[in-house]
Amino acid sequence: MLILGNELPSIEEIYAAAQKSKFLNDPHVKRLWELSGDVGLFSKSPEYLRSLRESLLRDSLKFFVRHSDFYAELLERLEIDPGSAGLEDLAKLAVPSDMMRGEGYRKFLISDLDEGGVVFSSSGTTNNTPVRVYRSHLELAMMTRANTNLFEYVYGGLLEEGKGLALFLAAKELRNALNFVAFVDLALQGKRIRLLYGMDLVSTTSSGGSQWQKLVPNKKAIMEFLKSKEEPKLLFTAPAGVHLLTQQFEGMNALKKALSKLVTGVPPVDLGSGGVIVTGGGSKGFTDLPPYDAIVENARKYFKARDREGREVPTPFMDVLGMTETLTALIDRHGVMNKIPHPLQEAFLLDPRTYEVIEEPGREGVLGIYDPLAVSWLEVFLPGDVMKSVESERYYGREYVYLRRLTKDEGWDLQRACGGTLEELMRGRIVKQ
Protein backbone atom coordinates (compact mmCIF):
# COMPACT_ATOMS: atom_id res chain seq x y z
CA MET A 1 0.00 0.00 0.00
CA LEU A 2 1.43 3.35 -1.04
CA ILE A 3 1.61 5.94 1.75
CA LEU A 4 1.20 9.52 0.50
CA GLY A 5 3.21 12.04 2.50
CA ASN A 6 3.08 15.79 2.96
CA GLU A 7 3.33 18.16 0.00
CA LEU A 8 6.79 18.06 -1.59
CA PRO A 9 8.46 21.49 -1.18
CA SER A 10 9.44 23.43 -4.29
CA ILE A 11 13.04 23.27 -5.47
CA GLU A 12 13.56 26.86 -4.28
CA GLU A 13 12.28 25.96 -0.79
CA ILE A 14 14.50 22.87 -0.73
CA TYR A 15 17.65 24.78 -1.68
CA ALA A 16 16.86 27.51 0.85
CA ALA A 17 16.34 24.97 3.66
CA ALA A 18 19.43 23.01 2.62
CA GLN A 19 21.61 26.06 3.03
CA LYS A 20 20.49 26.26 6.67
CA SER A 21 21.51 22.66 7.48
CA LYS A 22 23.80 22.45 10.48
CA PHE A 23 25.71 19.69 8.72
CA LEU A 24 27.15 22.11 6.17
CA ASN A 25 29.49 23.15 8.98
CA ASP A 26 30.94 19.63 8.86
CA PRO A 27 33.89 19.52 6.40
CA HIS A 28 32.87 16.07 5.15
CA VAL A 29 29.28 17.11 4.39
CA LYS A 30 30.40 20.40 2.86
CA ARG A 31 32.65 18.39 0.54
CA LEU A 32 29.70 16.16 -0.41
CA TRP A 33 27.59 19.23 -1.17
CA GLU A 34 30.24 20.61 -3.52
CA LEU A 35 30.78 17.24 -5.21
CA SER A 36 27.04 16.69 -5.74
CA GLY A 37 26.97 19.54 -8.26
CA ASP A 38 30.35 18.87 -9.88
CA VAL A 39 29.87 17.97 -13.58
CA GLY A 40 33.63 17.60 -13.91
CA LEU A 41 33.34 14.19 -12.20
CA PHE A 42 31.97 12.76 -15.46
CA SER A 43 35.28 13.41 -17.21
CA LYS A 44 37.50 11.85 -14.52
CA SER A 45 39.15 8.46 -14.91
CA PRO A 46 37.73 5.29 -13.30
CA GLU A 47 40.87 5.08 -11.14
CA TYR A 48 40.47 8.64 -9.87
CA LEU A 49 36.80 8.06 -9.04
CA ARG A 50 37.49 4.74 -7.27
CA SER A 51 40.02 6.50 -5.06
CA LEU A 52 37.58 9.37 -4.43
CA ARG A 53 34.79 6.97 -3.44
CA GLU A 54 37.10 5.11 -1.06
CA SER A 55 38.06 8.40 0.57
CA LEU A 56 34.40 9.38 0.89
CA LEU A 57 33.49 6.01 2.36
CA ARG A 58 36.08 6.35 5.11
CA ASP A 59 35.10 9.92 5.92
CA SER A 60 31.44 8.92 5.83
CA LEU A 61 31.92 6.09 8.34
CA LYS A 62 33.72 8.51 10.66
CA PHE A 63 30.79 10.92 10.27
CA PHE A 64 28.25 8.26 11.25
CA VAL A 65 30.34 7.15 14.22
CA ARG A 66 30.34 10.78 15.41
CA HIS A 67 26.58 11.15 15.03
CA SER A 68 25.18 7.74 16.00
CA ASP A 69 25.85 5.28 18.82
CA PHE A 70 24.07 2.70 16.69
CA TYR A 71 26.65 2.93 13.91
CA ALA A 72 29.58 3.23 16.33
CA GLU A 73 28.55 -0.03 18.01
CA LEU A 74 27.78 -1.70 14.67
CA LEU A 75 31.21 -0.94 13.21
CA GLU A 76 32.88 -2.11 16.41
CA ARG A 77 30.97 -5.41 16.38
CA LEU A 78 31.81 -5.96 12.71
CA GLU A 79 35.46 -5.00 13.38
CA ILE A 80 35.42 -2.32 10.70
CA ASP A 81 38.03 0.42 11.01
CA PRO A 82 36.62 3.58 9.35
CA GLY A 83 40.17 4.70 8.55
CA SER A 84 40.90 1.70 6.33
CA ALA A 85 37.42 0.58 5.20
CA GLY A 86 36.93 -0.74 1.68
CA LEU A 87 34.50 -2.54 -0.59
CA GLU A 88 34.65 -5.73 1.46
CA ASP A 89 33.33 -3.76 4.44
CA LEU A 90 30.38 -2.46 2.42
CA ALA A 91 29.42 -6.09 1.85
CA LYS A 92 29.29 -6.56 5.63
CA LEU A 93 27.29 -3.38 6.21
CA ALA A 94 24.71 -3.81 3.42
CA VAL A 95 21.18 -4.43 4.63
CA PRO A 96 18.38 -5.98 2.54
CA SER A 97 15.79 -3.42 1.50
CA ASP A 98 13.13 -5.48 3.26
CA MET A 99 14.51 -4.13 6.54
CA MET A 100 13.36 -0.64 5.47
CA ARG A 101 9.71 -1.62 5.13
CA GLY A 102 7.08 0.10 7.24
CA GLU A 103 8.70 1.84 10.19
CA GLY A 104 11.89 -0.21 9.82
CA TYR A 105 13.76 2.74 8.33
CA ARG A 106 13.70 4.64 11.64
CA LYS A 107 16.28 2.46 13.37
CA PHE A 108 18.90 3.46 10.78
CA LEU A 109 18.55 7.25 11.22
CA ILE A 110 21.18 9.24 13.09
CA SER A 111 20.00 10.82 16.32
CA ASP A 112 20.57 14.49 15.39
CA LEU A 113 19.30 14.49 11.81
CA ASP A 114 17.89 17.60 10.13
CA GLU A 115 14.17 17.68 10.86
CA GLY A 116 11.37 18.64 8.47
CA GLY A 117 12.30 16.43 5.52
CA VAL A 118 10.27 14.02 3.41
CA VAL A 119 9.55 10.31 3.82
CA PHE A 120 9.43 8.53 0.47
CA SER A 121 7.66 5.24 0.02
CA SER A 122 7.93 2.47 -2.56
CA SER A 123 4.94 1.83 -4.82
CA GLY A 124 4.01 -1.39 -3.04
CA THR A 125 3.86 -3.46 -6.23
CA THR A 126 6.26 -6.09 -4.85
CA ASN A 127 5.07 -6.08 -1.24
CA ASN A 128 2.03 -4.74 0.61
CA THR A 129 4.27 -3.04 3.16
CA PRO A 130 6.29 -0.41 1.27
CA VAL A 131 9.95 0.44 1.77
CA ARG A 132 10.22 3.90 3.37
CA VAL A 133 13.19 6.28 3.55
CA TYR A 134 13.61 9.70 5.18
CA ARG A 135 15.27 12.51 3.20
CA SER A 136 16.32 15.84 4.66
CA HIS A 137 16.20 19.03 2.58
CA LEU A 138 19.97 18.89 2.23
CA GLU A 139 19.74 15.34 0.84
CA LEU A 140 16.93 16.35 -1.54
CA ALA A 141 19.06 19.21 -2.82
CA MET A 142 22.07 16.96 -3.36
CA MET A 143 19.80 14.33 -4.98
CA THR A 144 18.50 16.87 -7.48
CA ARG A 145 21.94 18.25 -8.34
CA ALA A 146 23.62 14.86 -8.74
CA ASN A 147 20.78 13.13 -10.61
CA THR A 148 20.33 16.05 -12.99
CA ASN A 149 24.01 15.86 -13.92
CA LEU A 150 23.79 12.08 -14.38
CA PHE A 151 20.62 12.42 -16.47
CA GLU A 152 22.22 14.98 -18.78
CA TYR A 153 25.34 12.83 -19.21
CA VAL A 154 23.24 9.84 -20.33
CA TYR A 155 20.86 12.08 -22.35
CA GLY A 156 23.88 13.36 -24.24
CA GLY A 157 23.64 17.08 -23.57
CA LEU A 158 22.27 19.80 -21.37
CA LEU A 159 18.57 20.41 -21.00
CA GLU A 160 18.16 24.07 -21.89
CA GLU A 161 16.45 26.11 -19.20
CA GLY A 162 12.84 27.01 -19.98
CA LYS A 163 12.82 25.06 -23.24
CA GLY A 164 10.59 22.08 -23.93
CA LEU A 165 7.64 20.32 -22.36
CA ALA A 166 7.44 17.17 -20.24
CA LEU A 167 4.65 14.69 -19.55
CA PHE A 168 4.78 12.23 -16.69
CA LEU A 169 2.22 9.43 -16.83
CA ALA A 170 1.68 9.62 -13.09
CA ALA A 171 -0.50 11.62 -10.72
CA LYS A 172 0.91 14.82 -9.25
CA GLU A 173 0.24 13.58 -5.70
CA LEU A 174 2.73 10.74 -6.22
CA ARG A 175 5.66 13.17 -6.14
CA ASN A 176 4.97 13.42 -2.40
CA ALA A 177 5.67 9.73 -1.94
CA LEU A 178 7.65 8.24 -4.82
CA ASN A 179 11.33 9.03 -5.11
CA PHE A 180 11.45 8.74 -8.93
CA VAL A 181 8.50 11.09 -9.43
CA ALA A 182 9.95 13.60 -6.95
CA PHE A 183 13.34 13.59 -8.66
CA VAL A 184 11.83 14.24 -12.10
CA ASP A 185 9.61 17.00 -10.73
CA LEU A 186 12.43 18.74 -8.85
CA ALA A 187 14.95 18.40 -11.69
CA LEU A 188 12.51 19.92 -14.20
CA GLN A 189 11.68 22.70 -11.75
CA GLY A 190 15.41 23.43 -11.60
CA LYS A 191 15.49 23.61 -15.39
CA ARG A 192 12.25 25.64 -15.54
CA ILE A 193 10.76 23.05 -17.92
CA ARG A 194 6.99 22.73 -17.54
CA LEU A 195 5.80 19.31 -16.40
CA LEU A 196 2.32 17.96 -17.06
CA TYR A 197 0.94 15.01 -15.10
CA GLY A 198 -0.95 12.58 -17.33
CA MET A 199 -2.87 10.78 -14.59
CA ASP A 200 -5.30 11.75 -11.82
CA LEU A 201 -5.63 10.07 -8.46
CA VAL A 202 -9.33 9.65 -7.71
CA SER A 203 -11.23 8.18 -4.79
CA THR A 204 -13.63 5.36 -5.45
CA THR A 205 -15.55 2.72 -3.56
CA SER A 206 -14.92 -0.99 -3.89
CA SER A 207 -17.69 -3.58 -4.03
CA GLY A 208 -17.11 -4.15 -0.32
CA GLY A 209 -17.86 -0.50 0.41
CA SER A 210 -14.32 0.53 1.42
CA GLN A 211 -12.70 3.68 0.06
CA TRP A 212 -9.58 3.41 -2.06
CA GLN A 213 -7.84 5.37 -4.77
CA LYS A 214 -6.95 4.61 -8.35
CA LEU A 215 -5.20 6.30 -11.27
CA VAL A 216 -7.20 7.46 -14.29
CA PRO A 217 -5.86 9.24 -17.40
CA ASN A 218 -5.91 13.04 -17.44
CA LYS A 219 -6.95 13.37 -21.08
CA LYS A 220 -6.59 17.16 -21.09
CA ALA A 221 -2.93 17.00 -20.05
CA ILE A 222 -2.13 14.15 -22.43
CA MET A 223 -3.76 15.95 -25.35
CA GLU A 224 -1.89 19.17 -24.55
CA PHE A 225 1.38 17.24 -24.68
CA LEU A 226 0.53 15.45 -27.90
CA LYS A 227 -0.55 18.66 -29.67
CA SER A 228 2.23 20.87 -28.38
CA LYS A 229 4.79 22.18 -30.88
CA GLU A 230 7.35 22.82 -28.12
CA GLU A 231 10.55 20.86 -28.28
CA PRO A 232 12.10 18.84 -26.93
CA LYS A 233 9.23 16.82 -25.56
CA LEU A 234 10.17 14.54 -22.69
CA LEU A 235 7.87 11.60 -21.88
CA PHE A 236 8.32 9.95 -18.47
CA THR A 237 6.48 6.72 -17.80
CA ALA A 238 6.77 3.14 -16.61
CA PRO A 239 7.54 0.72 -19.47
CA ALA A 240 3.92 -0.39 -19.24
CA GLY A 241 2.75 3.18 -19.96
CA VAL A 242 4.50 3.54 -23.30
CA HIS A 243 3.55 -0.05 -24.18
CA LEU A 244 -0.15 0.66 -23.57
CA LEU A 245 0.01 3.88 -25.62
CA THR A 246 1.66 1.93 -28.44
CA GLN A 247 -1.07 -0.71 -28.27
CA GLN A 248 -3.74 2.01 -28.54
CA PHE A 249 -2.14 3.33 -31.74
CA GLU A 250 -1.75 -0.21 -33.13
CA GLY A 251 -5.43 -0.91 -32.43
CA MET A 252 -6.66 1.99 -34.58
CA ASN A 253 -8.07 1.16 -38.00
CA ALA A 254 -7.27 3.39 -40.97
CA LEU A 255 -10.31 5.62 -40.41
CA LYS A 256 -9.55 6.17 -36.71
CA LYS A 257 -5.92 6.94 -37.49
CA ALA A 258 -6.98 9.50 -40.08
CA LEU A 259 -9.46 11.15 -37.68
CA SER A 260 -6.90 11.15 -34.84
CA LYS A 261 -4.33 12.70 -37.16
CA LEU A 262 -6.81 15.37 -38.19
CA VAL A 263 -7.89 16.25 -34.63
CA THR A 264 -4.73 15.74 -32.56
CA GLY A 265 -1.91 15.50 -35.07
CA VAL A 266 -0.99 11.96 -33.98
CA PRO A 267 0.07 9.25 -34.68
CA PRO A 268 2.97 9.48 -34.89
CA VAL A 269 3.83 11.57 -31.82
CA ASP A 270 6.50 14.11 -32.74
CA LEU A 271 8.82 14.53 -29.73
CA GLY A 272 10.85 17.08 -31.65
CA SER A 273 14.54 17.86 -31.60
CA GLY A 274 16.05 16.29 -28.49
CA GLY A 275 12.87 14.40 -27.64
CA VAL A 276 13.23 11.33 -25.45
CA ILE A 277 11.18 8.69 -23.66
CA VAL A 278 12.33 7.95 -20.11
CA THR A 279 11.07 4.83 -18.41
CA GLY A 280 11.41 3.69 -14.83
CA GLY A 281 9.71 1.78 -12.08
CA GLY A 282 9.85 -1.72 -13.52
CA SER A 283 6.79 -3.65 -14.64
CA LYS A 284 4.44 -1.98 -12.06
CA GLY A 285 2.64 -5.25 -11.54
CA PHE A 286 2.13 -6.13 -15.23
CA THR A 287 3.00 -9.78 -15.79
CA ASP A 288 2.53 -9.92 -19.57
CA LEU A 289 4.78 -7.09 -20.75
CA PRO A 290 6.95 -7.86 -23.79
CA PRO A 291 10.74 -7.70 -23.35
CA TYR A 292 12.03 -4.11 -23.08
CA ASP A 293 13.70 -4.34 -26.51
CA ALA A 294 10.34 -5.18 -28.08
CA ILE A 295 8.59 -2.33 -26.21
CA VAL A 296 11.17 0.10 -27.61
CA GLU A 297 11.01 -1.16 -31.19
CA ASN A 298 7.19 -1.14 -31.26
CA ALA A 299 7.00 2.32 -29.69
CA ARG A 300 9.43 3.78 -32.22
CA LYS A 301 6.79 3.23 -34.94
CA TYR A 302 4.56 5.79 -33.22
CA PHE A 303 6.96 8.12 -31.37
CA LYS A 304 9.40 10.09 -33.51
CA ALA A 305 12.34 12.29 -32.54
CA ARG A 306 15.10 14.29 -34.17
CA ASP A 307 18.66 15.07 -33.14
CA ARG A 308 19.83 18.59 -32.36
CA GLU A 309 20.53 19.21 -36.06
CA GLY A 310 16.96 18.30 -36.93
CA ARG A 311 17.65 14.89 -38.48
CA GLU A 312 15.22 12.08 -37.66
CA VAL A 313 16.81 9.48 -35.39
CA PRO A 314 15.54 6.32 -33.68
CA THR A 315 13.60 7.71 -30.73
CA PRO A 316 15.94 7.74 -27.73
CA PHE A 317 14.90 5.62 -24.75
CA MET A 318 16.43 6.00 -21.30
CA ASP A 319 15.60 3.71 -18.40
CA VAL A 320 16.09 4.65 -14.75
CA LEU A 321 16.84 2.14 -12.00
CA GLY A 322 16.09 4.43 -9.11
CA MET A 323 14.65 2.63 -6.14
CA THR A 324 13.27 4.40 -3.07
CA GLU A 325 16.35 3.65 -0.99
CA THR A 326 18.97 5.44 -3.04
CA LEU A 327 19.58 9.12 -3.64
CA THR A 328 21.20 8.68 -7.04
CA ALA A 329 20.01 6.36 -9.78
CA LEU A 330 21.54 4.08 -12.37
CA ILE A 331 20.45 5.17 -15.87
CA ASP A 332 20.93 3.62 -19.32
CA ARG A 333 20.32 4.79 -22.86
CA HIS A 334 19.00 2.02 -25.06
CA GLY A 335 21.55 0.94 -27.66
CA VAL A 336 24.14 3.48 -26.46
CA MET A 337 25.14 2.57 -22.90
CA ASN A 338 24.07 0.13 -20.22
CA LYS A 339 23.08 1.30 -16.77
CA ILE A 340 25.72 3.54 -15.27
CA PRO A 341 25.83 4.94 -11.71
CA HIS A 342 26.62 8.47 -10.64
CA PRO A 343 30.42 8.87 -10.21
CA LEU A 344 30.02 9.09 -6.41
CA GLN A 345 27.75 6.06 -6.03
CA GLU A 346 29.42 2.72 -5.28
CA ALA A 347 27.57 0.00 -7.16
CA PHE A 348 28.93 -3.46 -6.39
CA LEU A 349 27.97 -7.06 -7.03
CA LEU A 350 28.09 -9.90 -4.51
CA ASP A 351 28.53 -13.59 -5.19
CA PRO A 352 25.07 -15.07 -4.38
CA ARG A 353 26.67 -18.05 -2.59
CA THR A 354 29.51 -16.47 -0.61
CA TYR A 355 28.43 -12.79 -0.53
CA GLU A 356 31.94 -11.76 -1.36
CA VAL A 357 32.48 -8.82 -3.74
CA ILE A 358 32.77 -9.85 -7.40
CA GLU A 359 35.70 -8.01 -8.93
CA GLU A 360 35.75 -9.38 -12.47
CA PRO A 361 33.17 -8.26 -15.10
CA GLY A 362 30.69 -10.61 -16.74
CA ARG A 363 29.63 -12.55 -13.64
CA GLU A 364 26.07 -12.50 -12.36
CA GLY A 365 25.74 -11.08 -8.86
CA VAL A 366 23.47 -9.53 -6.26
CA LEU A 367 23.46 -5.74 -6.60
CA GLY A 368 24.63 -3.66 -3.65
CA ILE A 369 24.55 0.14 -3.55
CA TYR A 370 26.35 2.63 -1.34
CA ASP A 371 25.60 6.33 -1.75
CA PRO A 372 27.76 8.72 0.29
CA LEU A 373 25.40 11.64 -0.36
CA ALA A 374 22.95 10.24 2.19
CA VAL A 375 23.76 11.71 5.59
CA SER A 376 20.60 10.84 7.56
CA TRP A 377 21.42 7.12 7.40
CA LEU A 378 24.28 5.00 6.15
CA GLU A 379 22.89 4.19 2.74
CA VAL A 380 24.37 0.81 1.90
CA PHE A 381 21.77 -1.77 0.95
CA LEU A 382 20.79 -4.70 -1.25
CA PRO A 383 17.64 -3.87 -3.26
CA GLY A 384 17.07 -7.47 -4.34
CA ASP A 385 18.19 -7.21 -7.97
CA VAL A 386 20.52 -9.50 -9.88
CA MET A 387 22.80 -7.80 -12.41
CA LYS A 388 26.11 -8.27 -14.19
CA SER A 389 28.78 -5.73 -15.03
CA VAL A 390 30.53 -5.18 -18.35
CA GLU A 391 33.72 -3.26 -19.02
CA SER A 392 33.26 0.31 -20.20
CA GLU A 393 35.46 3.11 -21.49
CA ARG A 394 33.29 5.68 -19.71
CA TYR A 395 34.08 7.38 -16.41
CA TYR A 396 32.92 4.49 -14.21
CA GLY A 397 35.03 1.83 -15.96
CA ARG A 398 32.06 -0.52 -16.05
CA GLU A 399 28.36 -0.52 -16.80
CA TYR A 400 25.62 -2.73 -15.42
CA VAL A 401 23.06 -4.97 -17.12
CA TYR A 402 19.85 -5.69 -15.26
CA LEU A 403 19.00 -9.40 -15.23
CA ARG A 404 16.13 -10.09 -12.81
CA ARG A 405 14.69 -9.74 -9.33
CA LEU A 406 15.81 -12.18 -6.68
CA THR A 407 13.35 -14.97 -6.14
CA LYS A 408 11.64 -15.41 -2.79
CA ASP A 409 13.84 -18.37 -1.93
CA GLU A 410 16.97 -16.47 -2.93
CA GLY A 411 15.82 -13.51 -0.86
CA TRP A 412 15.53 -15.70 2.21
CA ASP A 413 19.00 -17.06 1.60
CA LEU A 414 20.27 -13.52 1.09
CA GLN A 415 19.06 -12.29 4.46
CA ARG A 416 20.53 -15.27 6.21
CA ALA A 417 23.93 -14.73 4.67
CA CYS A 418 24.03 -10.95 4.39
CA GLY A 419 27.38 -10.15 5.96
CA GLY A 420 27.09 -9.68 9.68
CA THR A 421 24.65 -6.78 9.79
CA LEU A 422 21.37 -8.61 9.96
CA GLU A 423 22.62 -11.07 12.52
CA GLU A 424 24.08 -8.24 14.56
CA LEU A 425 20.79 -6.32 14.47
CA MET A 426 18.89 -9.41 15.52
CA ARG A 427 21.32 -9.92 18.34
CA GLY A 428 20.78 -6.31 19.37
CA ARG A 429 17.02 -6.78 19.54
CA ILE A 430 17.36 -9.93 21.59
CA VAL A 431 19.57 -8.14 24.09
CA LYS A 432 17.07 -5.30 24.42
CA GLN A 433 14.23 -7.73 25.03
Side-chain angles (χ1 to χ4, degrees):
M1 178 182 67
L2 180 64
I3 301 173
L4 294 177
N6 296 326
E7 183 70 18
L8 182 72
S10 69
I11 190 63
E12 290 81 10
E13 292 170 330
I14 287 171
Y15 280 140
Q19 292 298 327
K20 298 176 182 175
S21 171
K22 58 180 178 286
F23 293 117
L24 284 180
N25 294 322
D26 185 299
H28 168 62
V29 178
K30 186 175 181 181
R31 183 185 182 202
L32 291 176
W33 168 254
E34 292 168 352
L35 286 170
S36 69
D38 186 353
V39 295
L41 294 174
F42 293 86
S43 59
K44 299 294 186 184
S45 70
E47 294 76 20
Y48 174 90
L49 292 173
R50 270 194 291 273
S51 176
L52 174 62
R53 291 195 297 271
E54 184 177 76
S55 168
L56 291 175
L57 168 63
R58 293 171 179 176
D59 288 344
S60 179
L61 293 181
K62 294 173 185 173
F63 170 85
F64 281 100
V65 167
R66 290 197 300 273
H67 291 273
S68 168
D69 292 340
F70 169 80
Y71 288 112
E73 293 169 5
L74 181 63
L75 265 61
E76 184 177 353
R77 285 202 299 271
L78 296 177
E79 299 180 341
I80 296 174
D81 176 4
S84 59
L87 261 181
E88 66 283 1
D89 295 308
L90 286 179
K92 297 179 188 175
L93 289 164
V95 296
S97 292
D98 280 348
M99 296 185 70
M100 310 294 287
R101 295 193 181 281
E103 299 301 307
Y105 74 96
R106 293 183 182 277
K107 68 169 70 74
F108 298 103
L109 297 175
I110 62 174
S111 55
D112 59 341
L113 80 170
D114 281 333
E115 301 286 352
V118 175
V119 177
F120 289 122
S121 171
S122 62
S123 61
T125 51
T126 57
N127 190 298
N128 288 332
T129 304
V131 171
R132 303 179 76 200
V133 173
Y134 174 83
R135 298 300 186 196
S136 68
H137 290 102
L138 178 60
E139 290 170 317
L140 290 173
M142 290 195 288
M143 175 185 84
T144 304
R145 286 154 58 98
N147 276 328
T148 300
N149 290 342
L150 174 62
F151 182 94
E152 291 184 327
Y153 174 84
V154 179
Y155 175 67
L158 298 179
L159 292 169
E160 293 185 47
E161 287 199 11
K163 187 175 180 182
L165 180 67
L167 174 70
F168 203 141
L169 290 178
K172 187 175 182 179
E173 294 88 340
L174 296 183
R175 66 181 185 168
N176 305 326
L178 299 182
N179 187 51
F180 177 44
V181 182
F183 150 61
V184 171
D185 193 298
L186 294 173
L188 293 176
Q189 283 187 49
K191 288 290 183 177
R192 296 190 297 109
I193 296 174
R194 192 158 71 97
L195 172 61
L196 303 171
Y197 283 94
M199 306 292 282
D200 288 328
L201 193 62
V202 299
S203 296
T204 186
T205 304
S206 71
S207 56
S210 59
Q211 288 289 320
W212 58 295
Q213 293 181 309
K214 68 175 183 179
L215 293 170
V216 297
N218 182 324
K219 294 181 180 178
K220 181 180 178 182
I222 294 174
M223 290 303 294
E224 180 179 349
F225 179 80
L226 295 178
K227 289 182 175 181
S228 174
K229 301 297 183 185
E230 292 189 65
E231 57 182 7
K233 288 202 276 193
L234 317 171
L235 174 59
F236 295 87
T237 175
V242 69
H243 174 63
L244 293 175
L245 283 174
T246 300
Q247 282 191 316
Q248 287 189 15
F249 290 135
E250 285 183 332
M252 290 179 173
N253 58 33
L255 178 59
K256 284 187 176 180
K257 281 184 180 175
L259 288 173
S260 176
K261 186 75 175 176
L262 181 65
V263 175
T264 67
V266 300
V269 179
D270 182 9
L271 299 175
S273 178
V276 64
I277 296 176
V278 184
T279 59
S283 64
K284 310 313 295 176
F286 286 81
T287 58
D288 56 349
L289 280 182
Y292 193 76
D293 287 355
I295 291 176
V296 171
E297 292 310 310
N298 288 335
R300 281 175 169 168
K301 300 173 189 173
Y302 301 100
F303 294 87
K304 301 297 181 182
R306 284 168 277 120
D307 63 17
R308 292 177 185 269
E309 284 71 44
R311 297 169 297 202
E312 183 171 329
V313 294
T315 302
F317 270 75
M318 295 165 59
D319 187 67
V320 179
L321 182 63
M323 58 287 293
T324 304
E325 309 90 301
T326 185
L327 271 180
T328 55
L330 291 88
I331 307 178
D332 70 35
R333 179 163 172 168
H334 189 76
V336 176
M337 69 183 83
N338 295 296
K339 285 188 168 54
I340 192 164
H342 186 275
L344 300 179
Q345 184 194 88
E346 191 71 73
F348 55 96
L349 298 179
L350 299 178
D351 186 303
R353 294 167 300 173
T354 65
Y355 297 95
E356 294 177 348
V357 176
I358 297 173
E359 298 287 353
E360 64 271 27
R363 281 183 55 194
E364 181 177 306
V366 178
L367 176 66
I369 290 177
Y370 163 63
D371 201 319
L373 297 179
V375 293
S376 293
W377 70 293
L378 180 59
E379 188 177 294
V380 51
F381 67 99
L382 307 171
D385 297 305
V386 177
M387 303 183 80
K388 69 175 182 180
S389 68
V390 295
E391 292 183 334
S392 169
E393 295 183 353
R394 300 180 185 277
Y395 62 87
Y396 208 81
R398 59 181 60 187
E399 300 169 16
Y400 294 84
V401 178
Y402 186 89
L403 298 176
R404 59 185 171 81
R405 288 286 295 173
L406 280 165
T407 65
K408 185 177 180 180
D409 287 342
E410 287 172 321
W412 184 84
D413 287 339
L414 172 68
Q415 293 189 26
R416 288 278 301 202
C418 174
T421 304
L422 180 61
E423 293 176 9
E424 292 294 336
L425 288 169
M426 292 175 66
R427 188 182 307 165
R429 285 201 293 271
I430 291 171
V431 170
K432 290 176 182 177
Q433 290 171 349

